[in-house]
């Protein structure tokens, strides 16, 4: 096909792309100029109808995509954005901001889970009507509104309430407190874990080991043992107090020589399959871990 600016066209097919999000939710000041100033008087900010706008940096690509969606000679639209809530949202926003005729065309959703040629072919052949994914679209819009309302209202509230204290403590210029539906919870989990680590106190415990004909064995309070569930134990193979461990050793030494009974010996051969080839997510995980990519 011939390459054009922002799309490729051949005899009967046009391929275009979104560069991530092309449309976003408008900031409060687009609803009313008085929201530009952060103030407790204008909180909570909960619009009844949400406003959207084209992201300025990618407005050129938006015009290309929406122009193609509206083109008279294009009858069927295959939506091939990522198979997931966010991918669904990216396309639905573009359609929403395009002309009303787009919604009357035959729109089909290509849903694939890998980029092999056969999977892409299957996805196009079996593409369902876009309406089959309306619930997913609704959940994406709802998630975005929830993020937006949470972020805007709580960021403003906490900044107004604690911004000065934080700025004074950090000795920086004015700083905003960012609050997010996900990031704040995750940050909380990290902080809580870090506090646990910092306040961790090492606890020594005492194990009892014995040698039987060259085999080193470890004593454990197994089922039926006199020590099972005893408060003297730190865990099943160790005592909290050294004296209790010494007492057990003294008790065992009364029987000399002490005989151990071998109840089971097991040997087995295992076959291990070679690991599967990488999928994209695992490859990203490893690159992130090893090369900080």
């Amino acid at each position: 096909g011939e390459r054009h600016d922002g799309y490729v066209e051949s005899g009967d097919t046009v391929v275009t792309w979104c560069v991530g999000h092309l449309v976003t939710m408008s900031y409060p000041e687009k609803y009313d100029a008085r929201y530009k100033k952060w103030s407790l008087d204008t909180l909570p900010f909960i619009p009844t109808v949400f406003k959207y706008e084209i992201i300025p940096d990618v407005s050129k690509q938006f015009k290309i995509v929406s122009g193609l969606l509206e083109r008279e000679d294009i009858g069927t639209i295959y939506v091939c954005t990522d198979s997931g809530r966010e991918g669904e949202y990216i396309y639905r926003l573009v359609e929403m901001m395009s002309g009303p005729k787009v919604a009357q065309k035959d729109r089909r959703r290509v849903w694939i889970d890998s980029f092999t040629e056969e999977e892409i072919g299957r996805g196009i052949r079996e593409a369902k009507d876009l309406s089959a994914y309306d619930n997913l679209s609704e959940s994406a819009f709802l998630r975005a509104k929830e993020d937006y309302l949470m972020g805007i209202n709580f960021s403003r509230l906490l900044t107004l309430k604690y911004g000065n204290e934080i700025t004074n403590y950090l000795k920086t210029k004015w700083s905003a407190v960012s609050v997010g539906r996900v990031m704040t919870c995750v940050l909380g989990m990290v902080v809580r874990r870090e506090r646990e680590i910092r306040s961790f106190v090492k606890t020594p415990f005492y194990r009892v080991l014995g040698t039987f004909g060259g085999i080193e064995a470890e004593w454990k309070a197994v089922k039926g043992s006199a020590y099972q569930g005893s408060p003297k134990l730190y865990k099943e193979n160790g005592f909290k107090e050294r004296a209790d461990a010494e007492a057990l050793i003294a008790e065992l030494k009364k029987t000399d020589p002490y005989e151990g009974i071998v109840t089971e010996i097991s040997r087995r051969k295992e076959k291990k399959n070679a690991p599967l080839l990488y999928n994209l997510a695992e490859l990203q995980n490893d690159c992130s871990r090893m090369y900080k990519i």
Side-chain angles (χ1 to χ4, degrees):
E2 281 179 45
R3 285 198 80 87
H4 297 266
D5 193 4
Y7 69 100
V8 179
E9 182 162 0
S10 69
D12 60 353
T13 308
V14 178
V15 176
T16 186
W17 46 87
C18 299
V19 281
H21 278 272
L22 300 179
V23 178
T24 188
M25 299 176 84
S26 299
Y27 272 106
E29 54 265 30
K30 293 284 168 73
Y31 291 77
D32 190 325
R34 72 194 174 102
Y35 290 123
K36 194 161 177 68
K37 182 178 184 300
W38 289 27
S39 152
L40 291 173
D41 304 337
T42 53
L43 292 178
F45 169 69
I46 304 173
T48 44
V49 177
F50 286 84
K51 293 189 175 201
Y52 297 84
E53 62 190 65
I54 290 135
I55 299 167
D57 291 355
V58 288
S59 60
K60 183 183 167 198
Q61 187 62 13
F62 173 81
K63 286 193 183 87
I64 291 166
V65 175
S66 65
L68 290 166
L69 291 174
E70 292 168 28
R71 223 170 83 175
E72 293 293 334
D73 62 336
I74 290 178
T76 305
I77 296 163
Y78 284 93
V79 180
C80 306
T81 47
D82 284 356
S83 306
R85 190 170 61 182
E86 212 49 34
E88 193 69 23
Y89 187 52
I90 285 174
Y91 171 75
R92 299 285 185 139
L93 286 172
V94 172
E95 180 173 295
M96 182 180 83
M97 299 295 276
S98 300
K101 286 183 185 167
V102 179
Q104 276 129 44
K105 296 189 181 189
D106 177 13
R107 291 115 64 235
R108 299 184 195 179
R109 183 67 162 105
V110 176
W111 195 269
I112 57 174
D113 56 16
S114 73
F115 291 106
T116 58
E117 206 169 312
E118 57 202 327
E119 175 67 357
I120 295 167
R122 184 204 60 73
I124 294 168
R125 277 195 314 279
E126 296 176 11
K128 292 180 187 162
D129 191 85
L130 185 67
S131 61
Y133 298 87
D134 281 353
N135 286 347
L136 182 69
S137 166
E138 293 290 334
S139 90
F141 273 89
L142 191 62
R143 195 271 314 153
K145 287 171 186 171
E146 191 184 0
D147 277 0
Y148 177 88
L149 293 174
M150 175 118 190
I152 298 244
N153 287 295
F154 284 100
S155 297
R156 290 188 173 205
L157 176 68
L158 294 183
T159 301
L160 291 165
K161 210 162 158 38
Y162 301 113
N164 286 341
E165 288 172 40
I166 292 170
T167 306
N168 294 340
Y169 176 74
L170 295 174
K171 296 183 175 54
T172 56
K173 279 184 172 167
W174 185 82
S175 54
V177 181
S178 295
V179 176
R181 177 183 67 102
V182 177
M183 70 177 182
T184 303
C185 308
V186 173
L187 181 61
M189 288 156 76
V190 172
V191 170
R192 194 176 302 146
R193 190 72 178 143
E194 181 61 28
R195 283 178 179 158
E196 282 174 12
I197 291 166
R198 288 183 186 186
S199 59
F200 176 76
V201 180
K202 281 184 181 171
T203 310
F205 66 99
Y206 302 90
R207 294 155 66 212
V208 175
L209 303 174
T211 310
F212 296 87
I215 297 170
E216 190 171 271
E218 176 182 58
W219 174 86
K220 259 188 189 172
V222 292
K223 206 172 176 183
S225 158
Y227 284 97
Q228 193 191 357
S230 163
K232 293 177 178 178
L233 295 180
Y234 176 68
K235 44 188 183 178
E236 82 246 354
N237 63 336
F239 290 89
K240 291 175 189 169
E241 303 295 336
R242 188 181 180 118
D244 293 323
E246 301 277 13
L248 173 63
I249 291 169
E251 186 62 38
L252 294 171
K253 277 189 171 161
K254 285 180 185 171
T255 314
D256 190 34
Y258 211 101
E259 285 187 0
I261 299 162
V262 177
T263 55
E264 190 186 344
I265 294 176
S266 67
R267 277 202 189 117
R268 63 169 185 259
K269 269 188 179 174
E270 278 189 359
K271 262 190 181 172
K272 222 175 174 187
N273 291 332
L276 295 170
L277 296 173
Y278 273 120
N279 66 23
L280 224 55
E282 289 165 345
L283 186 63
Q284 276 179 314
N285 288 345
D286 277 356
C287 284
S288 162
R289 186 171 54 78
M290 291 155 79
Y291 307 111
K292 305 287 175 275
I293 294 176

